[in-house]
Amino acid sequence: MWLFFAGATILFYSIFDFLVKISSSKINGSFGAFIMNFVSAIVVLIYMIYSSFQGEKVLSNKPGGIFYSTLAGIAIGLASIFFIRMFATGTNLSIGVPLVRIGIVVLASIIGIFLLKEGVSLRYILGFLFSLFGLYLIVAR
């Protein structure tokens, strides 16, 4: 089941990337980021209401949940602004998106390994190195 969710995430992030690129030359970066995040919040609110009608306890919270969710919201807001601004400089979709997405993989891997103490295997290290090499090939083309 997790592969279905991963596939849906890939699909919608790809659509998001494409639409950000198209909108970046047509709207101020801050205003565009505001609209994207505002509409996103409405979509999530609708999903929360639907989930609550399905019996899910959508407002359940453990210590730190609201704090870390708030920090994540700040991070995604800033990421949206910088993503739009990157495309507004004329960055190609085919270069900007792989750079950002592979860069996320690399940085998240480092955070997972060193801060969260997640396990590492030889296969993982090889994949990580191939990601770095792929990133280099995309950017230096």
Side-chain angles (χ1 to χ4, degrees):
M1 185 59 130
W2 73 270
L3 282 174
F4 167 78
F5 292 122
T9 302
I10 291 166
L11 172 67
F12 288 111
Y13 265 122
S14 297
I15 293 169
F16 168 76
D17 294 342
F18 171 73
L19 295 172
V20 169
K21 169 62 178 168
I22 299 299
S23 71
S24 67
S25 62
K26 302 177 184 331
I27 195 167
N28 173 277
S30 301
F31 187 45
F34 173 78
I35 291 172
M36 283 180 238
N37 286 284
F38 180 76
V39 172
S40 173
I42 292 170
V43 170
V44 173
L45 178 62
I46 292 168
Y47 180 73
M48 284 177 60
I49 293 168
Y50 168 80
S51 295
S52 70
F53 281 119
Q54 299 300 311
E56 188 176 331
K57 296 179 182 176
V58 295
L59 298 179
S60 66
N61 179 41
K62 294 180 181 174
I66 292 175
F67 174 73
Y68 289 114
S69 293
T70 301
L71 292 180
I74 292 168
I76 198 67
L78 291 171
S80 296
I81 292 167
F82 288 115
F83 202 48
I84 294 168
R85 294 198 52 127
M86 175 190 75
F87 284 125
T89 67
T91 303
N92 290 341
L93 183 71
S94 61
I95 294 174
V97 170
L99 172 65
V100 169
R101 299 293 182 217
I102 295 170
I104 291 168
V105 168
V106 168
L107 186 56
S109 294
I110 291 169
I111 291 169
I113 292 166
F114 292 107
L115 293 182
L116 300 177
K117 308 296 185 210
E118 296 175 350
V120 182
S121 66
L122 178 59
R123 177 185 245 175
Y124 185 91
I125 292 170
L126 286 173
F128 183 82
L129 292 175
F130 282 133
S131 294
L132 287 176
F133 183 65
L135 188 59
Y136 168 76
L137 291 176
I138 289 169
V139 174
R141 67 178 193 166

